[in-house]
Amino acid sequence: GPRRPPARSPRAPKSLPGVERGPGCARGLGTALSPVLSGACSQGSRAEAEAMEKELLEDYRFGRQQLIEIWGHACAVAVTKAFPLPSLPRRQPTLLVACGPAQNGAIGLVCARHLRSFDYEPTIFYPKRSPDPLHRDFTTQCEKMDIPFLSYLPTEVQLINDAYNAVVDAVLGAEGTEGTAGTEPCAAILATLRLVRIPIVSLDVPSGWAAGPGGSGDISPDVLVSLAAPKEVARRFQGRRHFLAGRFVPEELQRKFGISPREYPGSDCVVAL
Amino acid sequence: MPGPRALLGLGLLVAAARAGGRCRERGWSWNRSWNRGWERGWERGRCLPRRAMHSPGTARHGPPGLRFLGQEEAQAIDQELFTEYGFSVEQLMELVGLICATAIAKAYPPSSFTTSQPAVLVVCGPGNNGGDGLVCARHLKMFGYQPTVYYPKRPSKPLFEGLTTQCKKMDIPFLPEFPAEAAFIDELYGLVVDAIFGFSFTGAVREPFGSILGTLERVTVPIASIDIPSGWDVEKGKADGLQPDMLISLTAPKKAAMHFTGRYHFLGGRFVPPALQEKYALNLPAYPGTDCVLQLT
């Protein structure tokens, strides 16, 4: 028959002798680490983000594929919140996911797959594929989910405006520097993205923004999904919705990197800022 | 070759995109150009909606048509996810752990615990079900629970070592020994997560899990089992075995689930590609909104 937890006096769980605890259990004693300050320039913030990722991989022993899965899933959840299925203007819930050659692109692939499982109809543009076997696996997974891959992006921007409800920008993210933003095929994608009239959702950092101070040449995303913590360049964001996908960050790392704790609704992995 | 303008209107542009995929028999892929793929009349089969097929052998439980899998089928689907669909154990385990924690959060929200802390005991077995439990514990922590793990037999593989480290570094304690009596568990925890054995389980239960299951069979706090109540035959169940309050079936329920008499049966596994669902005629019901779990009962 149905069971319910028996009534008992409020008491914290006993700590049994010999219980293994990780080094993070210094909580309450205060860690000696001071939060790393966000640099005044985008490079400083990027160095912090890289340091956090390194710590997640090396100290916390997260797998890279695991992290990309977590991020891609969170980005997809954010897209569903920014563009709920019933709200889409087009008859079919189409989305264009533009993926760059590096990690941001891989996050885009995972995001596309989850969007497909959420009953959206993503189409991927992934012109320069990473040779990384991990990224190849992500590509296979998308193909096997019947997600089409475009062979080219039409330069006729109106076709994109008409075919898709929104574009997911997973091109450069935080990896974009002065150099990469200008190389093909990213330069061409960015040129097109600057002209589209449908909303853009940028993953982590709007592509091209990391290359330097904002200018009229920047893309203007409608939605930004910051991973772990907002990056310095996010201060320039003026779009409609800004989400933080940071629930996965262990509390100790949040403290160490000066990330203010947030309340996430229910079991959501993203929160609207 | 006509450019995009010559494509037959936007509807077809999108339809062509949807009809795309890889044609392994013919050995080429459609994405050389939109119109060429469309001209060759791409296989539409893969684009069937989720619940396209009717299937025999439906069960009383859950939505009509929902299939309950045998052990071999469950193993075959699992294998196919890795070999054909390119998923890794690491990836799916992360998704499964989130599924389990989400289901638990729906049925047993932290506010429902009568203790001041929503304490949960997660018992992890020696294989993948145990790994699922580790990921579940981490997500439970993020959801505001206070999980404690018991993990007596740990595979020396980077995946499991990594998951263990992630838990420890998030302040999740690991018990050095299992509580000797059911009464201790009842006193300390409001919920037990059974992540001992999954759908690959056959044969006799080896120690220490025999004793552990013996104790768990006597606890009165709710038990949530991941995929298969541990100790049960994956198809026939076990009348005198563990009686969990919640079952979280992964991908599709197994035949053992027909013997489940607890209050909550959840399904998770939205990540299963439509083509695979079709191939095995899983007849999965639609998941609500963007939830990764679906409550069957």
Side-chain angles (χ1 to χ4, degrees):
Chain A
R3 295 170 178 156
R4 54 175 181 79
R8 61 178 86 103
S9 57
R11 186 153 43 109
K14 278 195 183 124
S15 185
L16 300 173
V19 169
E20 300 159 52
R21 288 181 179 271
C25 291
R27 197 146 52 112
L29 303 181
T31 58
L33 305 154
S34 53
V36 178
L37 299 170
S38 261
C41 64
S42 63
Q43 296 310 312
S45 175
R46 182 174 164 182
E48 277 176 283
E50 284 175 1
M52 191 196 301
E53 193 175 307
K54 186 164 186 275
E55 202 160 330
L56 284 167
L57 292 167
E58 293 178 11
D59 296 347
Y60 283 76
R61 302 276 310 271
F62 277 88
R64 186 171 287 282
Q65 188 173 35
Q66 184 186 14
L67 286 179
I68 297 177
E69 186 72 28
I70 290 171
W71 293 329
H73 171 256
C75 289
V77 171
V79 170
T80 69
K81 288 183 186 295
F83 303 101
L85 273 173
S87 77
L88 297 177
R90 313 230 154 275
R91 197 166 36 92
Q92 285 164 298
T94 54
L95 297 168
L96 175 64
V97 184
C99 298
Q103 183 155 286
N104 202 251
I107 297 171
L109 293 175
V110 175
C111 176
R113 174 167 42 85
H114 282 283
L115 285 170
R116 177 78 178 89
S117 77
F118 292 150
D119 296 325
Y120 289 74
E121 292 182 10
T123 294
I124 295 172
F125 181 55
Y126 188 31
K128 189 170 167 194
R129 305 200 175 183
S130 165
D132 187 331
L134 180 60
H135 294 204
R136 278 210 313 267
D137 284 346
F138 288 139
T139 306
T140 304
Q141 291 154 25
C142 284
E143 288 168 345
K144 298 290 187 158
M145 288 280 286
D146 299 326
I147 299 172
F149 282 68
L150 295 182
S151 54
Y152 61 91
L153 199 61
T155 47
E156 178 77 35
V157 175
Q158 195 51 40
L159 284 169
I160 299 177
N161 291 338
D162 291 340
Y164 306 104
N165 292 279
V167 182
V168 176
D169 158 33
V171 182
L172 289 174
E175 297 145 343
T177 58
E178 200 74 52
T180 50
T183 58
E184 292 302 339
C186 298
I189 303 176
L190 289 187
T192 303
L193 289 187
R194 278 182 207 117
L195 298 173
V196 296
R197 296 270 178 92
I198 52 177
I200 297 175
V201 181
S202 283
L203 305 192
D204 204 28
V205 171
S207 295
W209 284 30
S216 58
D218 276 350
I219 63 170
S220 299
D222 186 48
V223 176
L224 177 62
V225 186
S226 291
L227 301 177
K231 308 301 173 293
E232 182 66 27
V233 294
R235 289 173 205 243
R236 286 163 23 207
F237 176 68
Q238 292 187 332
R240 183 174 56 99
R241 304 289 298 271
H242 185 186
F243 292 93
L244 174 62
R247 195 164 199 173
F248 71 95
V249 183
E251 278 182 31
E252 190 202 343
L253 275 192
Q254 289 185 31
R255 280 195 301 277
K256 182 171 176 182
F257 286 89
I259 300 171
S260 16
R262 307 257 174 197
E263 276 287 318
Y264 283 80
S267 49
D268 285 359
C269 52
V270 299
V271 61
L273 295 181
Chain B
M1 183 201 330
R5 266 185 200 281
L7 288 172
L8 316 163
L10 295 164
L12 265 184
L13 196 77
V14 174
R18 283 298 299 123
R22 246 168 224 284
C23 180
R24 286 153 87 225
E25 295 87 56
R26 295 178 208 173
W28 42 264
S29 68
W30 76 283
N31 58 356
R32 299 254 160 67
S33 79
W34 286 335
N35 59 337
R36 209 192 298 170
W38 182 246
E39 279 166 27
R40 291 190 190 179
W42 260 88
E43 287 186 39
R44 299 290 212 135
R46 283 164 164 235
C47 296
L48 284 177
R50 256 180 208 182
R51 283 172 286 164
M53 297 173 62
H54 172 69
S55 117
T58 62
R60 303 176 293 288
H61 307 250
L66 178 66
R67 285 237 295 118
F68 286 63
L69 304 177
Q71 185 166 36
E72 277 186 23
E73 260 186 312
Q75 288 168 322
I77 291 176
D78 204 54
Q79 269 310 294
E80 220 166 307
L81 281 167
F82 302 133
T83 55
E84 291 294 313
Y85 288 83
F87 287 99
S88 71
V89 179
E90 176 181 328
Q91 229 175 335
L92 294 187
M93 207 168 264
E94 182 67 27
L95 296 177
V96 164
L98 174 63
I99 286 164
C100 296
T102 305
I104 287 168
K106 283 187 186 294
Y108 310 102
S111 54
S112 72
F113 282 59
T114 52
T115 42
S116 59
Q117 311 274 7
V120 179
L121 176 63
V122 184
V123 188
C124 297
N128 284 358
N129 204 253
D132 295 340
L134 292 175
V135 179
C136 176
R138 176 163 48 82
H139 284 281
L140 285 175
K141 177 84 184 189
M142 291 191 278
F143 291 166
Y145 294 84
Q146 295 269 20
T148 296
V149 175
Y150 182 60
Y151 193 24
K153 297 283 180 203
R154 308 177 188 184
S156 46
K157 287 186 197 168
L159 169 64
F160 297 96
E161 287 165 358
L163 292 177
T164 305
T165 303
Q166 291 158 34
C167 283
K168 288 186 181 173
K169 294 229 15 154
M170 287 186 60
D171 270 342
I172 297 172
F174 280 64
L175 297 177
E177 54 187 47
F178 197 65
E181 298 188 17
F184 296 162
I185 295 177
D186 288 340
E187 183 164 326
L188 294 170
Y189 307 102
L191 175 74
V192 176
V193 177
D194 157 30
I196 302 175
F197 299 126
F199 66 81
S200 305
F201 171 70
T202 52
V205 176
R206 285 202 214 126
E207 284 304 298
F209 298 106
S211 313
I212 291 173
L213 285 174
T215 305
L216 289 182
E217 280 158 24
R218 295 191 300 276
V219 307
T220 59
V221 291
I223 297 175
S225 286
I226 300 183
D227 210 23
I228 306 283
S230 296
W232 286 27
D233 180 285
V234 174
E235 298 187 4
K236 302 184 196 130
K238 186 173 191 240
D240 61 343
L242 203 65
Q243 297 300 326
D245 191 43
M246 168 186 263
L247 176 62
I248 305 155
S249 288
L250 303 170
T251 301
K254 269 47 85 189
K255 287 186 173 149
M258 293 202 235
H259 304 276
F260 171 69
T261 56
R263 283 184 297 172
Y264 302 110
H265 186 189
F266 277 79
L267 177 66
R270 184 163 205 161
F271 54 81
V272 179
L276 194 53
Q277 292 184 35
E278 246 173 72
K279 177 173 175 180
Y280 287 89
L282 298 182
N283 282 344
L284 299 178
Y287 283 83
T290 55
D291 287 2
C292 60
V293 298
L294 162 70
Q295 186 163 0
L296 292 173
T297 64

